[in-house]
Amino acid sequence: MVLNKSLTYVILAAITLVPWNATAVNSYSLSNLLHKPKLNELADLAENLLVKSLLEITQGKNQQALNTVDELIHKIPNFKLAYLVRGDLLTAQAQHLQAFGNAGINKPDAVKDLQAEARARIERYLSNENLDKLPKLLLAPSEQQSHIIVVDTDKSRLYLYKNNGGSLSYVADYYVTVGKNGVNKQVEGDKRTPIGVYFTKPKLTQPLADMYGEGAYPLNYPNEWDSRYKRSGYGIWLHGTPSNTYSRPPNASDGCVVLTNQDIKTLAPILQAGNTPVIIANNLKWIDADSSESEKQSLQIAINDWLKDWKSQNTPQYLSHYSQSFSASGINFQQWSNHKFSVQASKPKVEIALSNVSMFAYPDENRKVVVVNFTQDFKSPSLSNKMQKRQYWIQEGTSWKIIYEGAA
């Protein structure tokens, strides 16, 4: 009888926890659940014990499952999802369970939120994703950028990669919360998380409300690409959770990316340095680590040619590297062209060097756009300066063109 109750619970839970279609049935059978890698391979304690309890339920070991959940609650006393599972296990001792979240919570919306969190966490555990692969994006950090963060909003997951002299290696991944209304932020107050390439600023030092938890690290939203499309709003941060809450549902923020307090503290040494790239994407695809090398080399050649033509002061050739759709600080291509012809009319001798070059593909399904950052050292008879510069390169046909340029 206990075994039947357990199986009923797991089947109902499985229907709730995964998209129940033909693919899901093939990918997420109970046998798969029972034959995943050892639990100690998981980095996240919450998911480790949560999945362990579900495995024990599938084997009819309800008391062991209850002990596991109690251990989880003891270690993370504000983990609401654990209390939901515990309530169901206690109810299973006395009655037949009707649904995931059958016991303990009478608010349907609250149960749905916890179901969504369970789905995100367990799908990550069940995933066959190869962690020696990389997101299908051009990710080429500079020497000064020790780590890269990539957020997959569709999976409620933040991935951390280490820069090893230009090659990236997986470090860890973390459960996250994004906007209440999803992604593709457009206007202030829409409670959506932006999609794009952003960079962190150091931790805010002013006193913050408890809802931000262990700290908040602003992102440079709206960035230059957002401004081009007149996206509004502000205050998009990476931050923690309230003191009485371990984690929030997958879609619960006002647009920020929210981690547990434990995870935001783990990331603090990286985030505090500032200028950490944060690429926020939806429904990431994965590729072998060396698959983006040809695209990187193609763009690097275009940058080198642009620099060579600038140094030569061959204005028409230099301008050929700019898109007709170029705009920056209210200046369109024709105005930029007129300005450059005026400045370079006397063909002054210039020395220009680029260093700390980084390239990050914009997560845009409709076109190829790459954000290029570098330190520019410029010297001419009348000017000498060193500045941080940012360009957006867009692929037009088979050629790369600059569509934005300005100070970073």
Side-chain angles (χ1 to χ4, degrees):
M1 184 67 174
V2 171
L3 180 60
N4 290 337
K5 288 180 181 179
S6 299
L7 289 174
T8 299
Y9 174 93
V10 173
I11 292 169
L12 289 171
I15 293 171
T16 301
L17 296 177
V18 301
W20 201 250
N21 51 40
T23 302
V25 171
N26 291 333
S27 301
Y28 297 108
S29 67
L30 293 181
S31 62
N32 283 347
L33 195 64
L34 288 165
H35 294 93
K36 294 307 291 181
K38 293 179 181 179
L39 290 168
N40 60 15
E41 293 178 8
L42 290 171
D44 188 281
L45 173 66
E47 282 158 21
N48 188 324
L49 294 177
L50 178 68
V51 175
K52 182 173 184 286
S53 69
L54 292 180
L55 291 176
E56 289 165 342
I57 294 171
T58 67
Q59 298 167 326
K61 301 174 182 177
N62 278 24
Q63 186 56 52
Q64 285 183 227
L66 184 59
N67 293 342
T68 299
V69 172
D70 284 342
E71 179 186 356
L72 176 54
I73 290 172
H74 175 72
K75 293 184 177 181
I76 308 176
N78 52 1
F79 192 15
K80 294 178 182 178
L81 179 56
Y83 285 97
L84 180 69
V85 175
R86 186 178 192 275
D88 280 354
L89 280 166
L90 291 174
T91 301
Q93 296 175 358
Q95 67 182 68
H96 188 74
L97 290 173
Q98 299 300 316
F100 182 79
N102 186 68
I105 297 181
N106 296 319
K107 298 178 181 179
D109 289 344
V111 173
K112 287 179 182 178
D113 284 344
L114 293 173
Q115 289 171 343
E117 180 178 348
R119 178 189 300 115
R121 288 183 177 279
I122 294 176
E123 280 186 350
R124 174 67 188 93
Y125 175 76
L126 293 173
S127 172
N128 291 321
E129 179 179 286
N130 222 333
L131 294 179
D132 60 357
K133 293 183 179 292
L134 293 175
K136 191 178 179 181
L137 295 166
L138 174 58
L139 303 173
S142 73
E143 294 177 0
Q144 295 181 335
Q145 292 163 327
S146 65
H147 292 80
I148 293 177
I149 287 172
V150 181
V151 177
D152 186 352
T153 60
D154 182 61
K155 300 298 185 185
S156 299
R157 214 72 194 179
L158 181 153
Y159 297 87
L160 178 66
Y161 297 93
K162 181 176 175 56
N163 178 12
N164 302 296
S167 65
L168 297 176
S169 60
Y170 168 85
V171 177
D173 60 272
Y174 307 92
Y175 169 82
V176 296
T177 296
V178 297
K180 289 183 177 74
N181 294 325
V183 297
N184 291 313
K185 184 171 184 61
Q186 299 295 324
V187 298
E188 181 178 350
D190 64 5
K191 299 185 186 301
R192 292 179 179 271
T193 297
I195 296 294
V197 176
Y198 300 97
F199 299 89
T200 62
K201 298 177 183 177
K203 183 178 180 180
L204 294 174
T205 56
Q206 69 264 37
L208 296 173
D210 181 58
M211 69 173 290
Y212 299 110
E214 286 291 330
Y217 299 83
L219 302 180
N220 65 319
Y221 175 88
N223 62 22
E224 301 83 4
W225 200 246
D226 295 315
S227 297
R228 180 184 181 88
Y229 291 98
K230 297 180 171 54
R231 295 168 187 150
S232 60
Y234 60 93
I236 301 298
W237 303 343
L238 298 181
H239 67 77
T241 53
S243 56
N244 65 350
T245 302
Y246 174 68
S247 58
R248 296 169 65 181
N251 295 96
S253 80
D254 289 339
C256 294
V257 176
V258 182
L259 298 97
T260 69
N261 287 325
Q262 174 184 329
D263 294 341
I264 202 77
K265 286 171 71 175
T266 299
L267 292 173
I270 295 167
L271 297 175
Q272 185 58 26
N275 200 39
T276 300
V278 178
I279 296 89
I280 305 177
N282 194 43
N283 195 20
L284 280 175
K285 303 295 188 297
W286 302 87
I287 57 174
D288 292 330
D290 58 354
S291 295
S292 63
E293 277 303 306
S294 61
E295 190 172 48
K296 176 183 175 182
Q297 290 171 6
S298 171
L299 182 53
Q300 186 63 64
I301 290 171
I303 294 170
N304 292 341
D305 289 344
W306 162 77
L307 181 60
K308 174 176 63 68
D309 291 333
W310 187 13
K311 288 178 178 178
S312 73
Q313 297 290 281
N314 183 335
T315 306
Q317 190 63 30
Y318 166 77
L319 290 170
S320 71
H321 298 285
Y322 289 81
S323 168
Q324 294 291 319
S325 301
F326 175 87
S327 67
S329 303
I331 299 175
N332 61 26
F333 175 77
Q334 190 57 55
Q335 292 167 317
W336 177 260
S337 177
N338 293 342
H339 169 68
K340 286 300 178 180
F341 270 110
S342 174
V343 170
Q344 297 177 355
S346 62
K347 294 189 180 296
K349 183 179 180 181
V350 296
E351 295 179 17
I352 312 163
L354 307 184
S355 59
N356 300 316
V357 179
S358 67
M359 307 174 190
F360 300 107
Y362 220 84
D364 190 318
E365 295 180 354
N366 300 317
R367 59 210 147 179
K368 285 190 175 181
V369 179
V370 178
V371 183
V372 178
N373 289 307
F374 51 83
T375 302
Q376 176 182 292
D377 194 351
F378 179 92
K379 294 177 182 177
S380 74
S382 60
L383 177 66
S384 178
N385 73 1
K386 193 172 186 177
M387 65 182 294
Q388 301 301 312
K389 204 164 186 178
R390 180 168 298 148
Q391 295 176 331
Y392 285 69
W393 288 73
I394 188 168
Q395 194 170 54
E396 297 182 344
T398 58
S399 301
W400 286 101
K401 302 287 185 179
I402 301 167
I403 197 167
Y404 169 88
E405 182 175 315

